[in-house]
Amino acid sequence: MHPLAPALPACKTTHRAVYDTLEVVSGKWKLVILAVLLERPYRFKELSREIGISPRVLSKELQELEQHQLVTRTVCDTRPITVEYAATPYSQTLHSVVAAMREWGLTHHQTIVGQPRPDTVPLAQPVAKP
Amino acid sequence: MHPLAPALPACKTTHRAVYDTLEVVSGKWKLVILAVLLERPYRFKELSREIGISPRVLSKELQELEQHQLVTRTVCDTRPITVEYAATPYSQTLHSVVAAMREWGLTHHQTIVGQPRPDTVPLAQPVAKP
DNA sequence: CATACCAGTTACCAGTAGGATACCACCCGC
DNA sequence: GCGGGTGGTATCCTACTGGTAACTGGTATG
């Protein structure tokens, strides 16, 4: 499996590895953001609207992801200047994690609710609060 | 992929599914506990010592996992009574998530630190506090 | 009887994650 | 100048996460 990994006292190795991963992608949003960015690059506000996260929090999350080399931030020389966030090659290594969570979330939702999410519906934004 | 899944407006579907998953396994410990329990059943204190989590928090996490049908709690009729926690068949469906995080954690640690974790060392418990 | 282990529970408390809201600077079209 | 788009920051605040410590109640061991 991992050539450098030693005798593998399974439990210790496993739980520490999972713990290490969680330290990087902890919190309510990091994996969600990553999941979205792994599909295609997004701009800031676009991302904010897409997943429904306030700019303050999004900004913080993106900075942390950038520090961990999981996303890149590129300023595009357009008028209105736009900023594009994209998943890095390194974050591709998280793809299996995200994919697994995606699959599980889909089937779990059906297990609980008994029907798939109404994804294709016009999906009125949570309501733009009158 | 999922027969019931419709036209798949990829982004929405993905981020919601990941979000759903995170609602179940959020927090610092749930996935760690699950990772360990997926290897074999554990008793309460055993688990507590293994991953270094206080009884209060462990108790709460286990209850939540139980509510989500991800672990079972069985009281064993031994003297000192022991309680065994085990992963349910349903939690097996999370195995790919845990496995992916395990793998990522292992390689990530090497990427950052440059060497694998010293797993096999005697691994003095965080120090049993005198 | 004292001590120790089991599986928790309760009380207390600090740090923070994350939400709401407002605001800034920049550029465009009108 | 005004309104609307961009990408954020600043401020404030609350609820929750999670840690420590102490305590219960049962059984076993010295």
Side-chain angles (χ1 to χ4, degrees):
Chain A
M1 189 175 294
H2 281 280
L4 291 168
L8 265 251
C11 46
K12 276 281 172 196
T13 301
T14 296
H15 88 250
R16 287 200 190 167
V18 173
Y19 193 92
D20 286 350
T21 302
L22 285 174
E23 288 207 323
V24 177
V25 295
S26 63
K28 193 173 174 179
W29 296 113
K30 297 224 177 56
L31 280 172
V32 175
I33 293 170
L34 233 40
V36 173
L37 288 185
L38 278 170
E39 292 182 338
R40 68 170 174 86
Y42 273 75
R43 285 178 299 98
F44 188 86
K45 276 255 158 69
E46 191 184 10
L47 200 46
S48 171
R49 279 189 296 257
E50 168 69 25
I51 63 183
I53 179 178
S54 72
R56 193 189 79 90
V57 176
L58 178 57
S59 174
K60 206 196 65 178
E61 301 287 278
L62 285 172
Q63 280 171 24
E64 291 177 22
L65 288 173
E66 207 186 340
Q67 280 167 21
H68 285 293
Q69 325 235 343
L70 293 173
V71 306
T72 57
R73 195 190 101 110
T74 46
V75 180
C76 303
D77 192 13
T78 55
R79 324 95 301 161
I81 278 180
T82 55
V83 179
E84 205 168 71
Y85 289 91
T88 64
Y90 184 47
S91 76
Q92 303 287 339
T93 61
L94 270 171
H95 184 265
S96 51
V97 173
V98 171
M101 293 190 87
R102 184 195 131 104
E103 290 311 298
W104 197 85
L106 288 173
T107 57
H108 178 71
H109 190 84
Q110 289 182 40
T111 305
I112 297 301
V113 180
Q115 55 177 335
R117 272 208 182 263
D119 283 307
T120 43
V121 303
L123 52 67
Q125 292 290 61
V127 106
K129 185 175 287 180
Chain B
M1 189 175 295
H2 281 279
L4 291 169
L8 264 251
C11 45
K12 277 279 172 198
T13 302
T14 296
H15 90 249
R16 287 199 190 167
V18 173
Y19 193 93
D20 286 350
T21 303
L22 285 174
E23 286 206 325
V24 178
V25 295
S26 64
K28 194 172 172 181
W29 295 114
K30 297 223 178 56
L31 280 172
V32 175
I33 292 169
L34 232 42
V36 173
L37 288 184
L38 279 170
E39 291 182 338
R40 68 170 173 85
Y42 273 74
R43 286 178 298 99
F44 187 87
K45 274 263 156 68
E46 193 184 7
L47 200 46
S48 170
R49 279 188 295 257
E50 168 70 24
I51 63 182
I53 178 179
S54 71
R56 191 188 82 92
V57 177
L58 178 58
S59 175
K60 206 198 62 175
E61 302 286 279
L62 285 171
Q63 280 172 24
E64 292 178 19
L65 288 172
E66 206 186 342
Q67 279 167 24
H68 285 292
Q69 324 236 344
L70 294 173
V71 307
T72 57
R73 195 191 101 109
T74 47
V75 180
C76 304
D77 192 14
T78 55
R79 327 82 314 156
I81 278 179
T82 55
V83 179
E84 203 168 74
Y85 289 90
T88 64
Y90 185 47
S91 75
Q92 302 287 337
T93 61
L94 270 171
H95 185 265
S96 52
V97 173
V98 171
M101 294 191 87
R102 184 195 131 103
E103 291 311 298
W104 198 85
L106 288 173
T107 57
H108 178 71
H109 190 85
Q110 290 181 39
T111 305
I112 297 300
V113 180
Q115 56 178 337
R117 274 209 180 261
D119 284 307
T120 42
V121 301
L123 53 70
Q125 291 292 59
V127 104
K129 186 173 287 180

